[in-house]
Amino acid sequence: MRGRMALLLLLCGLLAMLQLRGGVAAAPEESLIWIDLSAMRLTLYQDGREAGAWPIASGASDTPTPLGVFRVTHRFHAENSGFGACFLGLDVPWGQYGIHGTNLPGSIGSRASHGCVRMYNRDVEALCRLAPNGTRVVIEEGPYGELGWSLQPLTPGSRSAQVRAAQRRLRALGYYRGALDGIYGAGMSAALAQWKADAGLPPGDWVDAQTWRAMGVLLFE
């Protein structure tokens, strides 16, 4: 637990510096939402202390919850919708995702959503009161950060944190100049094709195990 808290504090400081340099309005630094998909649990930290923890439901296997570091950007109350009592929208660049209540309380604790994080209505109401817009949200599952449990094959049209990791690596190699939006589109295809040709790899519009290795993206315990 102490190791995780140290990681939380370090992460907060680094991200605060990056976002302030980018001109993004920062939320109060004492607020942080940590979502552990393996444990099906959302924890709110304030001033480095746990302020609340609640069970959740996450995305189904074919519509997974995005991994990474995001922010709460907007909210609305949704008593008469499938979003339960409140919806907190996240700035995930490759899709529309949020944290919200549910009219299916039996789904809590399972992988059942279209990618959003579900909470009991009473729990999300408490979270909405405590977490302002701008609150940082860390979503994790597995030992490898935004890469999750393992490297996955990517093809045109893929949308995920792993796509963003591949874009980031191609940018570092000097080939990709588009947005780090986690969307495998035409710009990424062109950058990948040129890099593969220069690296002497077989052509192909995909990122497979060989491509990950050649790009220098490796998983370590």
Side-chain angles (χ1 to χ4, degrees):
M1 183 63 181
R2 291 181 179 177
R4 170 163 288 190
M5 288 306 303
L7 174 62
L8 287 171
L9 294 173
L10 176 61
L11 180 63
C12 284
L14 291 174
L15 288 173
M17 289 189 292
L18 290 173
Q19 288 168 335
L20 286 173
R21 287 178 183 174
V24 177
E29 293 307 323
E30 65 272 11
S31 297
L32 174 68
I33 294 171
W34 192 286
I35 300 173
D36 184 341
L37 299 182
S38 297
M40 289 291 178
R41 196 160 185 83
L42 180 153
T43 305
L44 174 67
Y45 294 94
Q46 293 184 320
D47 294 320
R49 298 176 180 272
E50 183 176 314
W54 303 277
I56 62 167
S58 66
S61 59
D62 57 343
T63 55
T65 298
L67 304 181
V69 182
F70 312 105
R71 281 191 182 270
V72 175
T73 56
H74 60 284
R75 66 187 59 212
F76 62 86
H77 294 282
E79 290 86 351
N80 298 319
S81 74
F83 296 126
C86 179
F87 184 98
L88 299 179
L90 305 179
D91 62 344
V92 180
W94 57 88
Q96 297 182 0
Y97 300 90
I99 304 167
H100 61 75
T102 181
N103 57 5
L104 298 171
S107 68
I108 300 301
S110 66
R111 300 179 185 274
S113 78
H114 289 92
C116 290
V117 173
R118 294 179 184 173
M119 302 176 68
Y120 289 120
N121 288 331
R122 64 178 181 273
D123 295 343
V124 79
E125 287 174 350
L127 182 66
C128 284
R129 289 193 298 270
L130 294 169
N133 287 354
T135 296
R136 195 172 295 110
V137 179
V138 178
I139 305 178
E140 67 162 2
E141 181 174 27
Y144 303 117
E146 67 179 355
L147 301 179
W149 291 101
S150 63
L151 292 170
Q152 300 297 313
L154 308 176
T155 56
S158 296
R159 293 171 173 248
S160 69
Q162 293 207 5
V163 173
R164 184 163 58 175
Q167 291 173 334
R168 189 181 298 115
R169 186 58 185 151
L170 286 169
R171 176 180 287 185
L173 291 167
Y175 288 85
Y176 181 70
R177 294 178 176 81
L180 299 177
D181 57 8
I183 302 173
Y184 191 151
M188 179 171 166
S189 290
L192 185 65
Q194 186 60 58
W195 172 75
K196 281 188 172 182
D198 292 347
L201 293 177
D205 197 2
W206 57 75
V207 177
D208 57 7
Q210 180 186 25
T211 307
W212 283 119
R213 287 193 300 272
M215 285 195 295
V217 180
L218 304 173
L219 300 181
F220 295 94
E221 291 290 350

